[in-house]
Amino acid sequence: MNRPHRNPRSPGRRSRSLTLVLAAALAAPLTWAAPAAARETYPFRDPGLSVDARVDDLLGRLTLDEKISLLHQYQPAIPRLGIGRFKTGTEALHGVAWSTDIHNSGAVVTAKGTVFPQSVGLGATWDPALLKKIGSAVGDEARGYNSENPDVWGLQLWAPVVNLLRDPRWGRNEEGYSEDPLLTGLLATAYGHGMQGDDPDRLKTAPVLKHYMANNNEIRRDQTSSGLRPRVKKEYDEVPFEIPLSRDAATGIMTSYNLVNGRPATVTPDAGDLVRSWTDRTLFNVTDAGAPNNIVNSQKYYPDLASGDAAIVKAGVDSFTTDDTNSSITVNAIKDALSRGLLAEADVDRAARNILSIRVRLGEFDPGGGPYGKITKDAVDSPAHRALAREAAAEQMVLLKNKGGALPLSSGKVAVVGPLSDTLYTDWYSGSLPYRVTPLDGIRKRAASVASSEGVDRIALKDVSTGKYIAGGTGSGAVLRTGPASASDATAQFDVFDWGQGVVTLRSAANGKTVGRYNWGDTFANDQDQPNGWFVQQMFKLEKQDDGAYLLRYAGYEKAYDWADPAKTYVKAQDDGTLVLTAKDGASRFAKDVVSSGVESAVKAVTGADSAVVVVGSMPFINGREDHDRTTMALAEGQSELIKAVRKANPNTVVVVENSYPTTLNWEQENVPAILWTSHAGAETGNALASILFGDESPSGKLPQTWYRSEAQLPDILDYDIIKSDRTYQYFKGKPLYPFGYGLSYTTFRYGKPRLSSHSVGSDGTVTITVPVTNTGRKAGDEVVQLYTHQRTSRVKQPLQKLRAFDKVHVAPGKTVTAKLRLNASDLAIWDVTRNKWTVERSRQDLLIGSSSADIRQHTTLNVRGERIPDRDLSAVTRAADFDDQNGVQLVDETKVKGDAVAGAANSWLKFADADLGRSTGTITARVAGTSATTIQVRLDRPDGPVAGTLNVPSTGDEYTYKEISAALRNVRGDHDVYLVFNGETRLSTFSLTR
């Protein structure tokens, strides 16, 4: 699930429960029993009938009110038919994470089962077979929880996330697999197949793909529009949704919060047509949390909820995730829409049919719950799942640098230091860890001798005006207040963890708990295991003043929003010792006593050690998460200084970066012998890390996205046109820090000459490429053999290279195995905007085979017998959105229901290349809309080329009211690039040039 920006003081699932509720607090399961006749008599309970026949029978037995009741996330029981409650949306991104409790106002209930590596880590495995195993384990654990309490743990799982990682600043980078659509699609397919199970008709669980679509920025995400020109939409953003749906690996989509081309994704027409065209299976689509209300409130797209909800249903979305457990708001809006003629009963029937189809396939109405009904809670955190988690944690680690054989380590004296060395963090979409093996724990099992230090300062804060220190509580209340008169008092000491840009967290030495502010009041307490909650309330800034004193600024995330009180962000110690928030001019001034230096402690630990391992990285609730984007990819400043000090004290330094996104490690790459990356990989992180560091396994992870040298190499985060802005490895022309697909090994591989089944292929043909891969080192290892293509000639701008296939092979020392790569010529198709169809062009394709996108080991060519795209025929009605290039225009919604248009502004333009204007073209006719009068010039060959005609655009009174206008053209003949140059604000839907 996701959550829109809203005031946490208003009624809301997450606003009421900012701390995680443990799975032990599960509500009691249903106690009523369905009537025996209802269970046995009705055809919808007969597993011998087809799914469609059973759905037809059940739907025909429901009243209209009962059908409407199914459209909300919390579907009520229908006792007269023996039907129980059904709840959509258990989060299961990398393990069963959490769900919500209808018996407790939708409060979050957190699972305590197997937590696999974050999705971006799973992406680094490049291993679909492993992903299927993990998906199957997740499906089993979801079934186990469901068997215990179906009211809380529904079997429709909201995972995987297939949004592409086109910008590493995205706050939710941890949730996606890759910046590449093929890799993402194949991994999502494997995960989905695992979650669904192998039965052809019944489902273990019902995976839902998130978030359709182009959801790759967080700030004000319910109000920003992702501009997708047709080629970007078709060739990039749609692909990771289409692959798993077309391969029957998902049962629906969740629409995203953002707008796409000016239309809220909540009412995308794709949900009802395009998405469903990708599969013969019935899909059950859902909204994101609170999104139905957004289209009336923050987006102001429809005037009232009845109009908005009607549009959602008619668009092809079946279920409303909104208003927490209160389904009456949705039910009443749907009834209002029916009474006003905005919906027909057939629309409700269609949505209810989609919902019931999945419920039937889940075995809900089968005797014993169907083939997966016997799975119990014993599946959760089983030994087999622990072993699988360890395997996944090791396989996703990526060796970024290894100079001079710094790794593997010998089993001598190893120093393990750093703020992440002795802890494991979970994220918003993680379950609770049932046990923890930290990096320090794992290394202690392997090294002969271990020294350690977290490398963080321990400080005490003294109120300058009273001389009293802030102290953490030790009892159940653990409330902070001033009191001790000495920094030597353990309750007055706090460990400072630096997360960058001045943000720190404080861990109390009194009880080892993190300090924060709770219940939206003025109380500060030290009672949390780690920073957490929807709005993270454990963040502070220590602001040094000119006289050396410090102000303690509260930096909780809710202060980022305009409904918060910006005047009260500083801590004041009151006369009674309690701490409250106040304005800056009323803040207490504190002296910061450094009880012990983190850098000095770390340096002492690493001095004389055979090797130093520095574990640094991110805190997922702070550095990257839902509703917040990053402005920097750098390590926290204090962490960088720690690495430099350790490297100076011990030349044999290994840096382990444990985070969820590409990081700018420029200094480290130049100066540190070895660097290893891991995502936040779950309870087995320490064991997996030790197995890699000490050489029990050779690292095989490959980066699933480009690591840039700085933010300066990236365009604005809201620029979704990867083609024009040269985004991702496909189009990026700069030099990255680490390229897409990169990752080192403890062994070396030699690639032999590739053999093609054919060197020429038709547009519907297939070619198989085999490549011998020899292990030329002394250790066994896995290699990901990657196939990229580059099309030499094309009507349009082509990617520099594009991943087409990969094969992960295991090779013993001195042995050779054959990697097999399959390339369908149809996969080389581009979206031809001149004819609105997929087209395989006639061209020579470079086949680039290598260990990464930048490490190409073998090269060959393939002749593709496709077609030449003919010159544009602008005498046909042409959509303005089907441009070849643009400057300064926006893609917008043609109508609120469907279609794209273009909104121009002064000096903006559209380019339509390679137009055949014939011997003479005399008129331009266009459909325009807008509230102001302006002109559109027709120019040839350049934006400032010869003027061939001018459209006088009137005000139509409304941006959705279109008028057809015409203008004469002169000297328009032959082949030209045609430019439409806007001189003011207007919308252009279509145009044609007629002879």
Side-chain angles (χ1 to χ4, degrees):
M1 183 186 293
N2 309 282
R3 183 188 186 281
H5 153 51
R6 64 183 177 191
N7 187 334
R9 294 183 177 85
S10 67
R13 173 179 304 121
R14 296 180 184 168
S15 58
R16 290 195 201 93
S17 183
L18 296 174
T19 57
L20 301 178
V21 183
L22 296 178
L26 295 174
L30 289 172
T31 57
W32 63 271
R39 292 198 305 269
E40 298 170 2
T41 303
Y42 298 128
F44 72 81
R45 293 191 178 276
D46 182 356
L49 296 178
S50 69
V51 172
D52 287 345
R54 297 173 72 183
V55 172
D56 286 343
D57 176 70
L58 178 51
L59 187 65
R61 298 178 187 280
L62 300 180
T63 67
L64 177 59
D65 284 351
E66 287 169 341
K67 288 183 285 191
I68 293 171
S69 74
L70 301 178
L71 305 190
H72 190 265
Q73 177 184 17
Y74 292 91
Q75 301 173 29
I78 304 175
R80 69 181 184 85
L81 296 175
I83 297 173
R85 277 188 287 263
F86 184 88
K87 174 194 169 295
T88 69
T90 294
E91 298 289 357
L93 187 59
H94 51 108
V96 180
W98 53 265
S99 190
T100 51
D101 185 0
I102 190 173
H103 303 292
N104 189 20
S105 302
V108 170
V109 181
T110 304
K112 194 171 186 177
T114 309
V115 178
F116 293 96
Q118 293 175 305
S119 294
V120 68
L122 297 178
T125 68
W126 290 60
D127 192 341
L130 176 64
L131 267 286
K132 185 177 181 182
K133 292 178 184 178
I134 292 171
S136 182
V138 173
D140 286 348
E141 297 203 3
R143 277 279 176 174
Y145 278 110
N146 176 263
S147 72
E148 184 178 78
N149 193 335
D151 278 4
V152 170
W153 302 102
L155 293 175
Q156 190 200 48
L157 305 186
W158 287 349
V161 169
V162 296
N163 296 110
L164 296 166
L165 306 183
R166 66 175 184 103
D167 194 311
R169 295 168 296 189
W170 185 32
R172 302 179 72 171
N173 195 85
E174 65 199 36
E175 295 184 34
Y177 293 123
S178 173
E179 72 184 55
D180 182 76
L182 175 66
L183 179 58
T184 296
L186 293 179
L187 294 177
T189 296
Y191 191 66
H193 276 151
M195 287 194 290
Q196 287 185 170
D198 294 326
D199 190 281
D201 288 315
R202 299 298 183 270
L203 297 166
K204 185 191 299 186
T205 64
V208 173
L209 303 177
K210 301 195 298 186
H211 313 81
Y212 193 90
M213 67 166 28
N215 174 202
N216 197 217
N217 64 276
E218 293 299 299
I219 297 298
R220 307 298 185 203
R221 57 187 173 163
D222 58 325
Q223 298 169 49
T224 59
S225 180
S226 305
L228 297 184
R229 62 196 282 192
R231 277 195 65 204
V232 173
K233 184 174 186 286
K234 293 291 183 182
E235 297 175 21
Y236 192 67
D237 286 279
E238 285 180 6
V239 175
F241 290 91
E242 182 179 4
I243 290 175
L245 286 171
S246 66
R247 301 185 185 197
D248 194 22
T251 61
I253 61 166
M254 172 189 283
T255 54
S256 55
Y257 286 126
N258 55 286
L259 299 89
V260 177
N261 296 350
R263 180 181 298 107
T266 309
V267 290
T268 175
D270 288 357
D273 48 47
L274 177 66
V275 169
R276 296 183 191 274
S277 75
W278 293 332
T279 178
D280 293 330
R281 293 284 195 179
T282 298
L283 300 181
F284 173 10
N285 299 330
V286 303
T287 75
D288 211 333
N293 293 343
N294 287 348
I295 62 176
V296 175
N297 298 327
S298 62
Q299 294 167 345
K300 302 186 187 308
Y301 203 69
Y302 284 99
D304 53 62
L305 205 54
S307 301
D309 284 6
I312 291 170
V313 172
K314 291 181 80 68
V317 180
D318 308 307
S319 179
F320 292 76
T321 313
T322 188
D323 302 307
D324 301 311
T325 61
N326 185 3
S327 62
S328 66
I329 297 174
T330 294
V331 167
N332 291 335
I334 295 296
K335 290 181 177 180
D336 187 12
L338 286 165
S339 68
R340 292 163 55 183
L342 301 173
L343 280 178
E345 185 172 352
D347 296 315
V348 175
D349 285 353
R350 183 179 62 252
R353 180 182 299 278
N354 295 336
I355 293 166
L356 293 174
S357 177
I358 300 304
R359 291 182 65 170
V360 168
R361 292 186 65 200
L362 283 167
E364 179 181 348
F365 309 121
D366 289 0
Y372 303 106
K374 294 181 180 180
I375 299 175
T376 68
K377 189 71 176 295
D378 292 339
V380 176
D381 189 35
S382 68
H385 291 179
R386 290 189 175 193
L388 183 62
R390 180 170 179 168
E391 177 186 354
E395 194 169 335
Q396 55 92 51
M397 293 181 181
V398 182
L399 184 60
L400 299 174
K401 183 181 179 182
N402 191 23
K403 183 178 180 180
L407 290 175
L409 300 176
S410 63
S411 298
K413 181 179 180 180
V414 179
V416 185
V417 301
L420 278 79
S421 62
D422 198 25
T423 190
L424 295 178
Y425 289 122
T426 56
D427 60 50
W428 180 252
Y429 290 97
S430 296
S432 179
L433 299 177
Y435 63 99
R436 295 168 183 262
V437 182
T438 69
L440 178 59
D441 294 333
I443 292 171
R444 274 180 173 155
K445 296 177 184 179
R446 290 301 321 274
S449 173
V450 175
S452 66
S453 167
E454 288 183 296
V456 298
D457 288 346
R458 176 164 288 188
I459 67 168
L461 295 172
K462 180 175 66 176
D463 184 346
V464 173
S465 65
T466 65
K468 295 180 179 180
Y469 287 84
I470 296 176
T474 57
S476 59
V479 175
L480 266 68
R481 60 190 311 125
T482 57
S486 171
S488 62
D489 189 319
T491 63
Q493 297 175 7
F494 299 89
D495 296 322
V496 183
F497 290 81
D498 179 9
W499 302 115
Q501 297 180 292
V503 173
V504 300
T505 52
L506 304 173
R507 186 183 65 193
S508 172
N511 62 0
K513 301 291 187 178
T514 301
V515 174
R517 168 178 173 258
Y518 300 100
N519 300 322
W520 313 105
D522 286 333
T523 301
F524 290 87
N526 52 304
D527 64 352
Q528 296 297 297
D529 290 332
Q530 68 168 51
N532 63 79
W534 181 257
F535 292 106
V536 182
Q537 300 183 77
Q538 295 86 20
M539 299 188 300
F540 297 88
K541 290 186 177 183
L542 286 163
E543 297 181 349
K544 191 172 184 179
Q545 306 301 295
D546 292 341
D547 62 357
Y550 287 83
L551 300 184
L552 182 59
R553 182 179 178 183
Y554 175 59
Y557 266 160
E558 71 278 7
K559 292 301 177 185
Y561 290 96
D562 49 17
W563 50 259
D565 184 355
K568 293 184 177 181
T569 56
Y570 288 84
V571 174
K572 176 183 178 181
Q574 301 191 113
D575 293 340
D576 63 358
T578 58
L579 304 179
V580 298
L581 287 178
T582 187
K584 184 175 183 179
D585 57 8
S588 295
R589 303 172 71 79
F590 296 99
K592 184 179 78 170
D593 295 350
V594 178
V595 178
S596 61
S597 164
V599 168
E600 291 178 3
S601 173
V603 167
K604 181 178 179 181
V606 304
T607 300
D610 296 320
S611 301
V613 177
V614 190
V615 189
V616 295
S618 69
M619 201 289 126
F621 281 83
I622 293 175
N623 296 111
R625 53 149 301 158
E626 189 169 350
D627 220 24
H628 289 81
D629 294 313
R630 281 174 290 279
T631 57
T632 178
M633 297 175 289
L635 285 173
E637 296 83 355
Q639 294 184 23
S640 294
E641 292 306 312
L642 176 67
I643 293 172
K644 292 174 181 177
V646 170
R647 173 65 180 84
K648 183 177 181 181
N650 190 319
N652 300 318
T653 293
V654 176
V655 172
V656 176
V657 180
E658 185 178 350
N659 70 4
S660 317
Y661 49 88
T663 308
T664 49
L665 302 173
N666 297 298
W667 186 91
E668 290 77 10
Q669 175 61 25
E670 290 294 324
N671 295 279
V672 173
I675 307 172
L676 184 73
W677 176 83
T678 176
S679 72
H680 295 279
E684 287 288 340
T685 299
N687 286 330
L689 178 63
S691 71
I692 296 294
L693 290 178
F694 289 93
D696 300 336
E697 301 176 58
S698 181
S700 63
K702 300 284 188 177
L703 293 179
Q705 62 189 132
T706 305
W707 284 43
Y708 298 93
R709 294 179 178 273
S710 78
E711 296 79 22
Q713 291 183 309
L714 294 167
D716 188 275
I717 194 171
L718 292 178
D719 186 346
Y720 277 77
D721 190 344
I722 68 163
I723 299 174
K724 187 175 179 66
S725 60
D726 294 330
R727 271 190 184 275
T728 81
Y729 81 93
Q730 292 187 29
Y731 295 95
F732 182 60
K733 297 174 183 176
K735 184 178 180 180
L737 179 63
Y738 305 116
F740 174 79
Y742 172 83
L744 303 176
S745 172
Y746 290 155
T747 190
T748 53
F749 300 97
R750 182 178 68 243
Y751 285 49
K753 185 176 180 181
R755 297 184 64 181
L756 278 61
S757 58
S758 175
H759 286 272
S760 181
V761 66
S763 59
D764 59 350
T766 298
V767 62
T768 301
I769 303 102
T770 56
V771 187
V773 179
T774 302
N775 185 336
T776 55
R778 297 181 178 180
K779 292 184 68 69
D782 292 345
E783 173 70 337
V784 180
V785 181
Q786 303 163 40
L787 170 66
Y788 299 87
T789 66
H790 171 69
Q791 185 168 318
R792 292 186 180 181
T793 58
S794 175
R795 179 190 176 276
V796 297
K797 180 180 178 180
Q798 283 281 344
L800 301 173
Q801 57 192 115
K802 190 169 184 176
L803 182 70
R804 299 299 185 180
F806 58 90
D807 189 12
K808 191 165 191 174
V809 295
H810 180 78
V811 194
K815 300 298 183 180
T816 299
V817 300
T818 299
K820 296 181 180 179
L821 306 161
R822 179 185 174 93
L823 176 63
N824 296 319
S826 59
D827 293 338
L828 303 173
I830 63 167
W831 184 255
D832 177 14
V833 294
T834 72
R835 296 174 295 175
N836 285 294
K837 70 171 190 174
W838 289 104
T839 301
V840 177
E841 291 184 289
R842 182 172 67 245
S843 177
R844 296 288 289 179
Q845 293 276 351
D846 291 315
L847 303 188
L848 312 170
I849 303 164
S851 187
S852 80
S853 61
D855 184 8
I856 302 303
R857 307 289 183 86
Q858 292 289 344
H859 171 277
T860 187
T861 60
L862 177 67
N863 180 46
V864 179
R865 302 188 306 275
E867 66 171 310
R868 177 189 175 277
I869 297 176
D871 290 343
R872 267 191 185 269
D873 179 9
L874 295 182
S875 67
V877 174
T878 300
R879 297 193 313 158
D882 286 332
F883 54 79
D884 288 298
D885 197 5
Q886 61 83 22
N887 182 65
V889 305
Q890 286 185 312
L891 285 157
V892 294
D893 49 339
E894 182 178 12
T895 72
K896 289 191 174 184
V897 176
K898 64 180 181 180
D900 295 330
V902 167
N907 300 315
S908 62
W909 51 258
L910 299 171
K911 176 185 178 181
F912 299 86
D914 304 321
D916 180 3
L917 303 179
R919 295 183 179 181
S920 178
T921 299
T923 304
I924 178 171
T925 302
R927 289 183 73 241
V928 295
T931 57
S932 60
T934 184
T935 61
I936 301 175
Q937 292 179 326
V938 181
R939 291 179 177 264
L940 302 181
D941 300 324
R942 305 184 312 276
D944 60 350
V947 177
T950 300
L951 284 162
N952 292 308
V953 180
S955 168
T956 65
D958 182 83
E959 59 188 6
Y960 298 115
T961 300
Y962 286 88
K963 182 176 181 179
E964 191 170 279
I965 62 173
S966 298
L969 300 176
R970 60 184 182 275
N971 298 322
V972 178
R973 59 176 57 86
D975 294 341
H976 292 277
D977 294 341
V978 174
Y979 287 80
L980 301 182
V981 181
F982 296 81
N983 293 314
E985 295 183 2
T986 192
R987 289 190 172 199
L988 176 63
S989 169
T990 62
F991 73 97
S992 61
L993 306 183
T994 57
R995 297 180 177 89

